[in-house]
Amino acid sequence: MSLGQQLYPHLPFLRRYARALTGSQMHGDAYVRATLEAIVAAPEEFPADVDVRIALYRTFGAIWSSTHLEDDVEVAADEDTQQALARARLARMTPLPRQALLLTSMEGFSSQETGEIMGIEASEVDGLVNEAMREIDRQTRADVLIIEDEPVIAADIEALVTELGHTVVDIAATRTEAVDAVSRKTPGLVLADIQLADGSSGIDAVKDILARNDVPVIFITAFPERLL
């Protein structure tokens, strides 16, 4: 079997990896093309002492690491908001942790195999993956507004939110307090009860908030029929 035939089944996956690594379809495909051109130009230099897939990714990595620039994240026409957000978060990582995370979590290489691709020890790969996960955790933390009139329930929600690594920016017991809280600081997430202390409605409070800010909302209620 020729080298080209051996490489062919792995190329769609290499393109996927390249696009995720660079944050760009155009740049990712350009690096894959450069990799194949380098292999064709000097096939005798293609690593023959390891699995062909590892060798392919190693060759790609050598070209990318020697020439890459931090590219802007572009949104593909068929890409939804969540995919674009994931790409943006990956792009904000430094290159080596991003590379280690993608090779292990998306491409399914072991730490040992990833180390062979990146030219580092498996223990270093594990450290880079942990660093990448910490960065993802940092990026996904949110400032949370709690709209809840029962102090005990509000305290329980606050404890849960804080335990998950988020920050509670305010606790509002009424519609007016909720709107005032958002005017002081725009939250990244709103957790809202429906029935509030002064007889006002959490639904109305959320409507007021959404009229001014685009923010995700989760309703927490014992009366779902009112929400429906």
Side-chain angles (χ1 to χ4, degrees):
M1 182 183 296
S2 68
L3 179 57
Q5 290 174 316
Q6 295 178 63
L7 295 176
Y8 181 77
H10 305 297
L11 295 183
F13 302 101
L14 182 65
R15 290 182 71 196
R16 175 186 65 183
Y17 166 69
R19 292 175 178 185
L21 184 65
T22 63
S24 162
Q25 177 176 327
M26 180 181 69
H27 289 92
D29 286 351
Y31 280 116
V32 171
R33 185 166 55 251
T35 299
L36 296 178
E37 289 172 352
I39 293 172
V40 170
E44 69 281 358
E45 295 183 12
F46 187 74
D49 57 337
V50 295
D51 177 81
V52 67
R53 182 168 178 251
I54 293 176
L56 175 62
Y57 278 73
R58 180 193 291 178
T59 303
F60 171 91
I63 293 174
W64 173 77
S65 63
S66 64
T67 61
H68 79 87
L69 298 174
E70 291 306 306
D71 303 314
D72 293 332
V73 178
E74 63 180 31
V75 180
D78 60 349
E79 188 171 54
D80 62 27
T81 302
Q82 292 301 317
Q83 289 174 321
L85 181 59
R87 283 186 183 274
R89 286 174 175 163
L90 281 170
R92 286 196 289 270
M93 291 181 194
T94 51
L96 289 180
R98 183 165 78 235
Q99 187 179 13
L101 179 65
L102 289 172
L103 286 170
T104 54
S105 65
M106 187 170 77
E107 298 306 308
F109 288 107
S110 67
S111 295
Q112 182 65 41
E113 291 169 333
T114 299
E116 292 180 35
I117 292 170
M118 297 179 65
I120 59 178
E121 297 295 326
S123 59
E124 294 181 69
V125 172
D126 294 336
L128 290 171
V129 170
N130 289 334
E131 181 181 337
M133 295 304 295
R134 287 193 298 271
E135 175 61 18
I136 289 176
D137 182 60
R138 186 190 67 77
Q139 291 183 25
T140 54
R141 290 175 185 168
D143 291 330
V144 180
L145 169 64
I146 298 172
I147 306 176
E148 171 60 61
D149 65 319
E150 291 288 344
V152 174
I153 296 176
D156 284 344
I157 296 173
E158 181 180 19
L160 177 60
V161 167
T162 303
E163 184 180 341
L164 291 173
H166 306 295
T167 300
V168 175
V169 294
D170 216 327
I171 298 176
T174 68
R175 175 182 180 178
T176 301
E177 289 180 7
V179 174
D180 289 344
V182 172
S183 68
R184 291 190 296 272
K185 182 175 178 62
T186 302
L189 174 67
V190 175
L191 301 178
D193 189 10
I194 289 181
Q195 185 64 49
L196 301 179
D198 60 352
S200 60
S201 168
I203 297 175
D204 291 333
V206 166
K207 287 180 179 178
D208 292 341
I209 292 169
L210 294 180
R212 305 180 185 182
N213 306 90
D214 183 14
V215 56
V217 177
I218 298 174
F219 283 102
I220 303 173
T221 180
F223 306 98
E225 67 279 357
R226 288 195 58 192
L227 178 61
L228 295 176

